[in-house]
């Protein structure tokens, strides 16, 4: 699989040529916000990251899973019927490497020895990801400290690098190569161009000054971390608003509810958050995380202790920094991890 280049002036035609085979999403600016959208005329390349994580490509905020009739006279009353999920082929251009790594972490959560989440994987399989390396990381980006990097390839099908007048495309998977084969305007890159991309990657990594260490968290026992006094300090500020979990690319908790209108019912799953008191409320009335300290602690312990313990060592945070930028009371995950690692 050879690296390919594309003149930026041909980018619109490149996207158009892919539109025959995929529904193509590209970054676009709407007011202050950058988001992925389809059918965009101009492809935005000069942005740091989308405001919201792109996890909703595979895990929508609200999703119908089953439908059923509530009409007692119907032969199939209260029989759950699958909502057919045959996602169309999609291609997402310009996804950031940290967000692609988050999908790999979630793959391991949505598939384990006992269970495979067909909703997640049907969309994953139908989607091709062309990543865009980050040349201007935010001051809040700390991907290098959690196993990633501004040009990390993990989870991507193709990685693109902005070389000024041209874009370099590095195919990483068969799926990525197939997409490039369908695209117009590409030419094979020479060694000099690939070397220039390697130089840009080094420069981007050097530009990330925000670092944390997690090595001691590994060595500490769950109880040692659980009983640490710093949770009381963090919980005092936290509003339990849940913003950090909703914007997080690896948060994946959901609740399942039935909604009935007339004689038809839908079983729906919606994003939920461990910051919510109701999230762990049992039918008996008992709540194992009834106080704010236990809810705040759960968010950080889950990402930095429980996920690495249970899912092969990888930390459940990709360092995108969204929770730092958007927390209304400036709780900074890096400070919390420094306390956990002290
Ligand atoms: S965004 Fe900040 S205040 Fe809101 S739940 Fe998260 S840590 Fe607490
Ligand atoms: S955390 Fe790393 S990969 Fe993510 S936007 Fe920042 S620099 Fe890019």
């Amino acid at each position: 699989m050879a690296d390919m280049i594309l003149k930026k002036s041909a980018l619109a035609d490149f996207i158009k040529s892919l539109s025959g085979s995929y529904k193509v999403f590209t970054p676009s600016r709407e007011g202050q916000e950058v988001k992925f959208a389809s059918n965009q005329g101009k492809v935005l390349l000069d942005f740091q990251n989308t405001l919201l994580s792109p996890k909703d490509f595979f895990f929508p905020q609200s999703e119908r899973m089953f439908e059923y009739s509530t009409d007692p006279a119907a032969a199939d009353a209260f029989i759950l019927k699958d909502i057919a999920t045959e996602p169309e082929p999609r291609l997402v251009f310009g996804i950031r490497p940290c967000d692609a790594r988050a999908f790999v972490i979630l793959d391991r959560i949505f598939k384990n020895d006992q269970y495979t989440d067909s909703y997640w994987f049907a969309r994953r399989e139908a989607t091709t990801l062309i990543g865009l390396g980050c040349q201007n990381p935010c001051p809040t980006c700390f991907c290098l400290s959690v196993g990633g990097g501004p040009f990390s390839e993990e989870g991507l099908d193709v990685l693109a690098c902005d070389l000024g007048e041209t874009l370099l495309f590095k195919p990483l998977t068969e799926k990525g190569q197939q997409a490039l084969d369908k695209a117009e305007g590409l030419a094979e890159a020479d060694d000099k161009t690939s070397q220039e991309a390697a130089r840009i990657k080094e420069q981007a990594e050097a530009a990330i000054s925000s670092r944390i260490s997690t090595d001691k968290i590994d060595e500490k026992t769950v109880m040692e971390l659980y009983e640490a006094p710093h949770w009381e300090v963090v919980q005092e500020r936290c509003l339990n608003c849940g913003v950090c979990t909703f914007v997080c690319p690896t948060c994946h908790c959901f609740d399942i509810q039935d909604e009935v209108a007339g004689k038809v019912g839908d079983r729906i799953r919606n994003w939920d958050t461990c910051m919510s008191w109701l999230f762990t409320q049992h039918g008996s009335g008992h709540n194992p995380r009834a106080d704010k300290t236990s809810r705040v602690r759960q968010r950080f312990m889950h990402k930095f202790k429980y996920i690495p313990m249970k899912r092969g060592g990888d930390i459940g945070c990709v360092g995108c920094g969204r929770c730092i930028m958007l927390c209304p009371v400036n709780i900074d995950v890096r400070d919390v991890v420094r306390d956990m690692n002290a």
Side-chain angles (χ1 to χ4, degrees), residues 121-161:
F121 283 101
R123 294 192 181 96
R124 284 282 281 143
E125 277 152 28
T127 307
T128 302
L129 298 174
I130 300 188
L132 184 60
C134 305
Q135 282 162 244
N136 296 302
C138 300
T140 45
C141 291
F142 60 101
C143 50
L144 276 176
S145 303
V146 286
F151 279 76
S152 161
E153 298 174 358
E154 205 180 349
L156 290 169
D157 297 303
V158 177
L159 176 62
C161 174

Side-chain angles (χ1 to χ4, degrees), residues 237-244 275 299 326-329 331:
R237 270 160 66 201
C238 178
L239 308 171
N240 269 184
C241 67
V243 165
C244 49
M275 294 293 108
R299 176 182 153 221
L326 295 168
C327 174
V329 293
I331 291 174

Side-chain angles (χ1 to χ4, degrees), residues 48-49 97-98 134 137 141 143 149-150 208 319-320:
Q48 284 176 309
N49 204 353
C98 54
C134 305
C141 291
C143 50
I208 296 187
C320 71

Side-chain angles (χ1 to χ4, degrees), residues 3 16 30 43 65 83 107 120 122 131 151 165 216 245 256:
D3 291 358
K16 205 168 153 197
E30 273 187 37
V43 179
M65 306 170 84
I83 306 280
D107 283 346
W120 170 268
F151 279 76
E165 297 295 308
K216 294 201 183 71
T245 58
I256 295 178

